[in-house]
Amino acid sequence: GCPLTPLPPVSMAIRLTYVLQDWQQYFWPQQPPDIDALVGGEVGGLEFGKLPFGACEDPISELHLATTWPHLTEGIIVDNDVYSDLDPIQAPQWSVRIRKADNPQCLLGDFLNEFFKLCRRKESTDEILGRSAFEEDGKEVADITHALSKLTEPAPVPIHKLSVTNMVHSAKKKIRKHRGVDESPLNNEVLNTILLVSELPMHTRFIKKTYFLQFKSAPSDSLTYKLALCLCMINFYHGGVKGVAHLWQEFVLEMRYRWENNYLIPGLANGPPDLRCCLLHQKLQMLNCCIERKKARDEGKRGSVSDRSPGGSSGDAGKGADHSGDNSKETDKEKEVGKSWESWSDSEEEFFECLSDTEDLKGNGQENGKKGGAKEGSKEPVNLKPEGRLHPHGKLTLLHPGEPLYIPITQEPAPMTEDLLEEQSEVLAKLGTSAEGAHLRARMQSACLLSDMESFKAANPGCCLEDFVRWYSPRDYIEEEVVDEKGNVVIKGELSARMKIPSNMWVEAWETAKPVPARRQKRLFDDTREAEKVLHYLAVQKPADLARHLLSCIIHAAVLKVKEEEVLEDISSVKKIIKQIISHSSKVLRFPNPEDKKLEEIIAQIMSVEAIIARARSLKAKFGVEKCENEEEKEDLQRFVNCLLEQPEVSVLGAGRGPAGSIIHKLFVNAQRVREKLRRSGSSDERRLNTGAVSDFPPPTGREVILRTTVPRPAPYSKPLPQRMYSVLTKEDFRLAGAFSADTTFF
């Protein structure tokens, strides 16, 4: 016999990789943006008031299909350059991986990046637009002696009906005097569209009302929010920083026009500034408060809109009017508002609204105001006519006259923005801890208290400090049941301990207060001064400052947009990233001046989510998920697409015969047909070289082969051990790797 032992069988595993690069254009749903389109939404929402979304290019660059034959016997397979027995359709195992495009161009990410770049600009509005459009021709050479001439000029007739869209501001005329009409950054059509958008309601499929509180931005239906979106659009498509400066200039002039003509600003909630929103939104709310009060005053109301009721419920002053003839015309509806100091000043420049008999009233108060101590001398003379009554309290009566206690009409404390509150805190802190500083600080803070005391005295002649405390601060009036000399149980009350402290500010203020109704008092809130301060603040804002103010609104809008788009796709990984973005943004944006690096991180996270959603939509379109009529197959394809997004490589159920496999096969067939058409349109030499039948798949870009066997080594009588050899062959590379084992028991 032959001394040679037969060779053991060798098992083979072969894997061929095919690459699909030529995607058909109709497989990518996102069309390139139309830069010239102003309104219409051709590119996922390209219209003023909305942020665009989606990738401008296919975010999936390649699809790699790996066909595997895991167990083959040697000698039965022929595979060479001329012929191959390895048909991809017949492979028992298919797996797919995708190659993502590097940094695909996405619309939302581009908008955010360009707007963030605006935050780093240094130019002012005047530097960008040339000479200040707020200047009038000849103003620089006007004689200073005519500075007050406008005060004597007749006032213009107010326009009863105003539409923002048909307003033509003088700013555009002044701009055109210094540059050509065609040189203006924004034309009238764009400006009118923007101003119209600011008055339209917002419509989004997903709005969470509390997001603006977390981001310190503005409500999604507010003017500030819409202004931020319009500025973002202008910055990207309509002139960049020049367009932003022009639009902001027009906006400031619009605000001044509304202030001077008593037109409320639309898109802002009523009431004082909301300190939970961004500072620019607070400033606009403050301006609206000023317009509202100026409008009420100019309409001839005797009672100021700033009146309020601090201790009772809201009501109509007309319904609860005084029983005297002087106050029968008061018709203001008063509301209860929280306490606040503001506008205390001894300045001669304060604005007074007084009637002719004010001095007489003050004289009466001075004659009777300081007789006796705090108990007896604090009573007001009963011969004064009651004024400024809102309505009877209903439960309380005056202690000494025994008449019903009336809730007075009082002034509303001044609304304040967060920067004014900071200034106020700094002023109070600079007064120091000395006795004089403490007294001055207490006096400044008690301006509202003094005003309320004067209103209370005017509404309740003959009252005392105890009456005021019972209404204004009930906890500081302590009532006890005691037994009198006759043995009857009676209720006896007295002021609290803090009210009895010597030099108590309440006692001093009560002795100083005169019976003056709110309509005759000095205004706690000078709406004219505050409105001019707001308008000046708006006018001096640089485009970079404006972008900083509105960046929180843009991030807020971007998160809403991403969330709205994510709801349609339902991707678990995207939901986690969005939660991280919201958490991160809420921490960063709460600070007045967040770091640029942290803001860049937030924008990068939003861009990553947009890219993931764009990839999901690209894969859905390529695999026809939405067109699938079979619900079970549709769910399988949806899971397959989600796995492709989250996993490096995904197995194809059913290989080439399953739902996903058949779609992949069609993709390769279509790509091969396109390639063949291109070849036929080439030169005659290329056509002669490619006269054979068209294959469904292109030549494999990589061949991987694994050879496995079990042999005894190093001697024939050694223990049989596994041996393995791996090889990979591509167009540019060939690698060979072996893993061999040997028995070491006797060697």
Side-chain angles (χ1 to χ4, degrees), residues 23-24 26-30 55 57-61 98 569 611-625 641 645 667:
W23 302 110
Q24 299 301 307
Y26 63 88
F27 286 142
W28 175 232
Q30 186 76 47
E57 57 182 323
D58 197 334
I60 305 296
S61 59
I98 58 173
E569 306 303 329
I612 293 174
I613 295 177
R615 293 187 192 111
R617 291 181 174 174
S618 175
L619 291 173
K620 278 187 175 181
K622 290 175 175 58
F623 285 92
V625 175
V641 167
L645 292 171
L667 292 175

Side-chain angles (χ1 to χ4, degrees), residues 67-87:
T67 58
T68 306
W69 291 262
H71 302 288
L72 293 175
T73 305
E74 62 173 331
I76 66 171
I77 294 297
V78 177
D79 182 33
N80 53 43
D81 293 339
V82 180
Y83 175 79
S84 177
D85 289 329
L86 301 175
D87 184 4

Side-chain angles (χ1 to χ4, degrees), residues 411-422:
Q411 291 196 64
E412 185 177 332
M416 301 189 73
T417 56
E418 61 183 27
D419 59 335
L420 294 179
L421 288 173
E422 290 178 6

